[in-house]
Amino acid sequence: MARWRQRLLSSACSSSSSSAAAPQALLRLASSALSRQSSSRGFAAAPDDTTPFVVDIPVPYAGHRCDPPEQRVETSAKELVDFFKVMYVMRRMEIAADSLYKAKFIRGFCHLYDGQEAVCVGMEAALTKEDAIITAYRDHCTHIGRGGTVLEVMAELMGRKSGCSLGKGGSMHMYNKEGNFYGGNGIVGAQTALGAGLAFAQKYNKQNAVSLALYGDGAANQGQLFEAMNISALWDLPVIFVCENNHYGMGTAEWRSAKSPEYYKRGDYVPGLKIDGMDVLAVKQGVRFAKEHALTKGPIVLEMDTYRYHGHSMSDPGSTYRTREEISGVRQERDPIERVRKLLLAKEIVTVADLKNLEKQAKAEVDEAVNQAKEGGQPETHELFTHVHVKGLKQLAYGPDRKEVIVPLP
Amino acid sequence: MAAAGAALAPGIENRLLSPPNAGRIRCSSSAVPARGALVVRGAALSEESRKNRSSALKAVAVKGEAPNLTTAKSGHEILLFDALREGLEEEMARDPTVCVIGEDVGHYGGSYKVTKGLAEKFGDLRVLDTPICENSFTGMGIGAAMTGLRTVVEGMNMGFLLLAYNQISNNAGMLHYTSGGQFKIPIVIRGPGGVGKQLGAEHSQRLESYFQSVPGLQMVACSTPYNAKGLMKAAIRSDNPVILYEHVLLYNLKERIPDEEYVLCLEEAELVRPGKDVTILTYSRMRHFVLQAAKTLVERGYDPEIIDIRSLKPFDLFTIGNSIKKTHKVLIVEECMRTGGIGASLRAAIVDNFWDFLDGRPECLSSQDVPTPYAATLEDATVVQPAQIVVKVEQMCQGLV
């Protein structure tokens, strides 16, 4: 067990490297790359420079029935700065949600994504808006990645009518039709079958796009996931099953719930790839590889080795089943935003002051969205009955006491 | 109306008296709209009221030329499973986004032949044979429906769809609401249910009672080839998730249906036989038992008004209410179990809305609250039989209940 916790901190797929290897290695590689390039390019790149350069991916991929992609990925200064910006906004948004929950503006269930930002941001870098994404209930940041705004996320969390689901969905039901984001699903594992359906529709309509069905390490033991994998493999559906392995299914650690916690191998006949989910560039490369695979050869399982700093939800302190040292250890060694920050500074794309500015902007953006959302109104009473059915239904619906609100359903 | 002794619905054999014949119930010719009718909508009238043809014509919305009554019978005779297949085929030909998903629907042709020949005509992708995984292929159908495909998910037996309850309840029924109206789920979930001929408890489920309280779902039950085809087409064209309940024992029902295309209204009930003594509300297989009982009742001088409610969710309270206002007595005959069945909800709706028009409590004949036994005599005792319907109506009309 102690070995397992050490593995979390080291983030190595093989157990050989020691705990502090990754960021130092990254710095060394980055600085050597910089010294190689500085001669050809002169001074460091500007933050909006789109000239591509190559970065090494320190943590090796692990493949199951497939050859993993290269351990290096092309990126640009602009892309890295964008990664930093959006991940920082997501981080601030989740922290704001934490305080809003404690102040009782947000009620019910609130599952926070901080620590896992690299997964959804890296995915988006490899996908287009034609590709479809469906995920479970830890969906606030995925919604942002698909084109949602912080305002509609905050308003939805607070149950206001300006929310993305008009206040009727809540934390676990955020959807974005234009962004091809299909939610936001409360029941663990059910979204994998829906994801197979999205891929089926893409194949039916002959679209050159893929569907990503995200699920967690807890959901990886659901039967319907294996049913979905079977039918996807059988009909070559362009679906990518992405297991966001944050190592805890609520309070149960992965080694206590899965006989085989190597989730990228659980597809058996479906090939798999294990990716360091705290490295946004590794995620980008892995998802690009997976998209190619899904479009040409059939479904593939990706395991994102990631971590959540908060507990499972706001009602879970997150420290009864893991130590605070572990949490802070991962935060120090593997934090996705810190990684990008170090890379940006090492490549001299931005200065420390620039980053501070970006952080301030992000904080302001989130605070502004929170204030605006707080001012938003509650949904009207008649909204109770809208959107139950689509149209054409002749039905009278009553309020709870059968007298107060009588509405003919549209 | 039909005089005493007139054949109400000729050809219906009493299952108890005739030799066991694998549950074949034949019902010959019923509603044939006037020639020239292009689209027939609204409450369909059955054979009995063809005797009042002029009033029948007035009651049915007719488009096109005036009816030509001198020609021979129009339309074609068809069995119920074939009528479903016809409706499905027409919709698949009309709209390329309609596809069927289910076990053995493709190459095998469907275990009840509802999808026979469709895979050859439309291809394997549109008539998809799935492995045995109800939960995930129903979920798959719902996911595909979210993108705009109009999927028809077949449960080989309705009871198997209990495995997909989560998908049907949370993702089909509620998703339009929880997404704030962003996603529609134009899915049709259909399959045979109800008590069959000694199929055993697990294959004799009546799922309408389980799904009826899921908000967002619409439920219809077909009972004749005419309404089977019309409801199938309407369900596919609807943007709401619709559950179409068929009955295992009704697939070989034969009837003459129009050649012209027609689509029925999903939310409307069917007036099967007008009357004035008592309103009998029924659906699916019990409709035929009620008609059989009505034969006896008419001979004994009673005049029941029989309504096939067809729409299980929402109830067509307009048609039902007008009937209750006329007769002041209502009997519900259903195949659901007593507890929490369609009859229970319908009774509550009637009491809420038409209390002032009732002479007595709304009566309900339903199946017993037991798992359906295998033995033939026990199975017959589980469901409502025509003789019980006769007795109950007599009691109601004589003021004994």
Side-chain angles (χ1 to χ4, degrees):
Chain A
M1 209 220 310
R3 233 265 196 81
W4 172 76
R5 287 195 194 278
Q6 193 185 48
R7 235 201 356 252
L8 272 181
L9 295 172
S10 69
S11 82
C13 297
S14 60
S15 52
S16 53
S17 55
S18 64
S19 57
Q24 318 302 44
L26 194 62
L27 273 174
R28 260 184 276 120
L29 287 164
S31 55
S32 65
L34 190 62
S35 61
R36 273 203 304 276
Q37 284 175 0
S38 58
S39 53
S40 54
R41 220 168 351 128
F43 202 58
D48 54 357
D49 190 357
T50 50
T51 321
F53 56 88
V54 173
V55 174
D56 283 332
I57 295 168
V59 175
Y61 292 111
H64 166 73
R65 289 183 190 265
C66 72
D67 291 321
E70 281 201 326
Q71 293 292 146
R72 45 218 316 264
V73 65
E74 216 172 66
T75 181
S76 70
K78 181 171 193 307
E79 186 175 58
L80 283 178
V81 173
D82 285 341
F83 281 166
F84 183 88
K85 276 199 284 208
V86 72
M87 285 204 285
Y88 201 79
V89 165
M90 288 177 179
R91 178 68 60 91
R92 296 302 322 165
M93 183 179 76
E94 296 296 75
I95 293 173
D98 178 307
S99 6
L100 285 172
Y101 191 91
K102 289 174 176 147
K104 294 206 192 306
F105 280 97
I106 303 176
R107 315 302 296 271
F109 293 124
C110 188
H111 306 89
L112 299 176
Y113 200 73
D114 53 323
Q116 297 183 215
E117 298 92 351
V119 174
C120 69
V121 171
M123 257 170 26
E124 293 297 337
L127 301 173
T128 68
K129 284 292 180 277
E130 263 74 50
D131 300 312
I133 295 186
I134 190 168
T135 184
Y137 43 78
R138 208 175 293 277
D139 57 348
H140 308 163
C141 299
T142 326
H143 183 82
I144 301 285
R146 284 268 97 184
T149 63
V150 182
L151 170 62
E152 59 188 16
V153 169
M154 281 297 160
E156 185 62 36
L157 288 175
M158 295 197 251
R160 308 300 163 103
K161 61 184 174 203
S162 38
C164 53
S165 298
L166 310 179
K168 298 201 274 197
S171 163
M172 296 186 284
H173 300 287
M174 302 200 173
Y175 304 81
N176 188 334
K177 190 169 166 128
E178 298 82 51
N180 263 334
F181 177 51
Y182 292 86
N185 290 279
I187 303 296
V188 169
Q191 75 276 13
T192 52
L194 294 180
L198 300 174
F200 173 73
Q202 286 171 332
K203 179 170 178 143
Y204 192 97
N205 292 321
K206 298 194 171 61
Q207 294 167 275
N208 198 37
V210 294
S211 296
L212 283 86
L214 277 62
Y215 59 97
D217 47 293
N221 302 312
Q222 272 268 319
Q224 51 191 324
L225 169 64
F226 297 97
E227 291 177 20
M229 283 184 188
N230 178 42
I231 56 187
S232 310
L234 196 56
W235 299 324
D236 281 327
L237 301 181
V239 59
I240 302 173
F241 294 104
V242 180
C243 177
E244 293 180 290
N245 182 10
N246 56 25
H247 305 282
Y248 295 95
M250 202 162 88
T252 309
E254 61 181 349
W255 57 272
R256 286 180 63 220
S257 67
K259 181 72 180 172
S260 159
E262 295 183 296
Y263 298 107
Y264 68 109
K265 289 188 183 166
R266 294 277 288 271
D268 187 16
Y269 39 82
V270 177
L273 184 69
K274 181 162 175 177
I275 302 172
D276 177 12
M278 304 297 256
D279 181 352
V280 64
L281 294 171
V283 172
K284 173 185 168 187
Q285 170 81 317
V287 172
R288 191 175 43 199
F289 167 80
K291 176 167 175 176
E292 226 178 271
H293 188 285
L295 287 175
T296 51
K297 299 192 209 119
I300 183 170
V301 179
L302 299 180
E303 181 186 338
M304 303 282 183
D305 186 353
T306 182
Y307 199 84
R308 53 166 164 82
Y309 298 140
H310 270 91
H312 162 76
S313 72
M314 286 306 299
S315 44
D316 169 27
S319 51
T320 52
Y321 46 87
R322 49 186 192 172
T323 60
R324 294 199 193 279
E325 289 75 43
E326 180 189 300
I327 305 171
S328 53
V330 176
R331 206 189 270 273
Q332 267 181 337
E333 309 284 335
R334 298 177 62 200
D335 185 82
I337 299 178
E338 290 311 305
R339 262 215 166 118
V340 176
R341 183 199 301 271
K342 288 193 178 97
L343 189 55
L344 285 171
L345 291 174
K347 289 214 165 293
E348 294 185 7
I349 296 169
V350 288
T351 61
V352 174
D354 290 334
L355 287 177
K356 276 258 170 327
N357 256 342
L358 288 176
E359 287 175 18
K360 248 186 22 203
Q361 273 171 26
K363 278 199 191 95
E365 186 184 327
V366 170
D367 288 338
E368 163 73 29
V370 168
N371 291 331
Q372 239 189 313
K374 275 186 185 164
E375 284 161 26
Q378 296 275 342
E380 320 282 323
T381 314
H382 73 265
E383 285 284 333
L384 180 62
F385 300 110
T386 57
H387 303 122
V388 180
H389 300 275
V390 175
K391 63 178 186 287
L393 217 57
K394 299 181 275 194
Q395 183 181 8
L396 224 53
Y398 296 84
D401 66 348
R402 310 300 289 186
K403 288 187 182 61
E404 194 183 279
V405 182
I406 296 178
V407 163
L409 284 187
Chain B
M1 217 23 257
L8 262 178
I12 290 190
E13 300 145 53
N14 185 330
R15 218 180 106 237
L16 290 173
L17 300 178
S18 67
N21 194 14
R24 248 167 248 280
I25 307 174
R26 271 180 293 112
C27 152
S28 66
S29 70
S30 73
V32 181
R35 269 182 76 74
L38 294 173
V39 173
V40 178
R41 306 206 52 184
L45 298 175
S46 62
E47 190 219 18
E48 291 67 38
S49 48
R50 277 173 71 206
K51 307 213 179 10
N52 304 333
R53 188 177 274 276
S54 55
S55 56
L57 287 175
K58 282 194 210 99
V60 170
V62 168
K63 277 197 216 161
E65 320 91 72
N68 181 351
L69 302 173
T70 57
T71 55
K73 269 198 213 167
S74 58
H76 55 284
E77 284 215 322
I78 198 169
L79 300 179
L80 194 146
F81 74 85
D82 216 6
L84 287 166
R85 193 197 50 74
E86 239 181 46
L88 189 48
E89 188 173 356
E90 283 173 20
E91 289 304 302
M92 287 182 80
R94 175 184 174 271
D95 183 352
T97 63
V98 179
C99 55
V100 183
I101 298 176
E103 295 159 6
D104 280 329
V105 294
H107 295 187
Y108 190 80
S111 43
Y112 293 93
K113 294 182 284 202
V114 174
T115 50
K116 191 169 166 65
L118 296 183
E120 284 83 35
K121 185 166 175 189
F122 296 108
D124 277 349
L125 199 62
R126 290 189 72 186
V127 187
L128 198 60
D129 277 329
T130 65
I132 305 174
C133 47
E134 279 77 9
N135 196 356
S136 50
F137 74 68
T138 309
M140 196 179 105
I142 295 166
M146 283 171 89
T147 69
L149 285 195
R150 307 189 93 85
T151 44
V152 177
V153 171
E154 170 174 314
M156 192 182 271
N157 185 296
M158 269 294 191
F160 305 162
L161 292 179
L162 286 174
L163 289 162
Y165 199 110
N166 172 59
Q167 299 286 356
I168 296 172
S169 154
N170 293 337
N171 293 329
M174 304 201 211
L175 223 153
H176 185 64
Y177 190 84
T178 56
S179 67
Q182 285 183 71
F183 292 108
K184 298 186 306 198
I185 320 288
I187 195 175
V188 177
I189 298 170
R190 50 156 293 268
V195 176
K197 272 277 209 176
Q198 294 185 262
L199 299 179
E202 292 177 6
H203 291 74
S204 311
Q205 312 241 36
R206 284 128 287 173
L207 252 56
E208 53 267 25
S209 54
Y210 302 146
F211 286 129
Q212 63 175 324
S213 53
V214 176
L217 289 180
Q218 199 170 349
M219 308 199 314
V220 286
C222 62
S223 49
T224 64
Y226 178 75
N227 62 35
K229 178 174 173 183
L231 290 175
M232 169 73 95
K233 290 170 73 83
I236 292 175
R237 294 188 193 194
S238 166
D239 280 338
N240 285 303
V242 178
I243 306 189
L244 171 59
Y245 293 93
E246 302 152 15
H247 198 286
V248 272
L249 295 180
L250 294 183
Y251 278 128
N252 289 320
L253 217 57
K254 188 192 283 204
E255 192 183 12
R256 181 172 287 276
I257 66 170
D259 290 326
E260 301 87 1
E261 190 188 28
Y262 66 97
V263 179
L264 293 177
C265 181
L266 284 176
E267 300 96 22
E268 250 162 327
E270 184 178 326
L271 180 66
V272 181
R273 180 191 188 280
K276 57 175 177 24
D277 283 345
V278 60
T279 299
I280 305 182
L281 304 174
T282 181
Y283 66 94
S284 193
R285 181 165 175 243
M286 287 296 130
R287 165 202 178 124
H288 303 282
F289 275 21
V290 165
L291 287 174
Q292 193 178 334
K295 248 165 59 173
T296 314
L297 286 168
V298 164
E299 280 167 17
R300 295 185 191 178
Y302 298 97
D303 190 18
E305 174 149 301
I306 302 172
I307 293 177
D308 182 341
I309 61 174
R310 276 203 332 221
S311 174
L312 305 180
K313 183 179 162 100
F315 296 128
D316 181 3
L317 290 178
F318 183 73
T319 309
I320 294 171
N322 282 341
S323 178
I324 293 176
K325 287 172 188 174
K326 189 171 36 158
T327 64
H328 309 297
K329 293 191 246 328
V330 62
L331 167 66
I332 302 164
V333 181
E334 57 159 356
E335 208 181 26
C336 275
M337 286 177 264
R338 189 132 200 99
T339 306
I342 295 290
S345 305
L346 191 49
R347 274 213 266 197
I350 290 171
V351 162
D352 273 349
N353 290 290
F354 309 118
W355 174 256
D356 296 328
F357 299 98
L358 288 170
D359 279 348
R361 69 165 187 236
E363 295 287 339
C364 183
L365 287 172
S366 23
S367 297
Q368 305 306 315
D369 283 326
V370 295
T372 312
Y374 168 73
T377 46
L378 290 183
E379 187 182 67
D380 287 341
T382 309
V383 296
V384 178
Q385 297 298 333
Q388 294 169 301
I389 304 172
V390 171
V391 165
K392 186 61 114 180
V393 170
E394 283 185 326
Q395 285 174 338
M396 287 171 76
C397 290
Q398 289 162 18
L400 295 172
V401 283

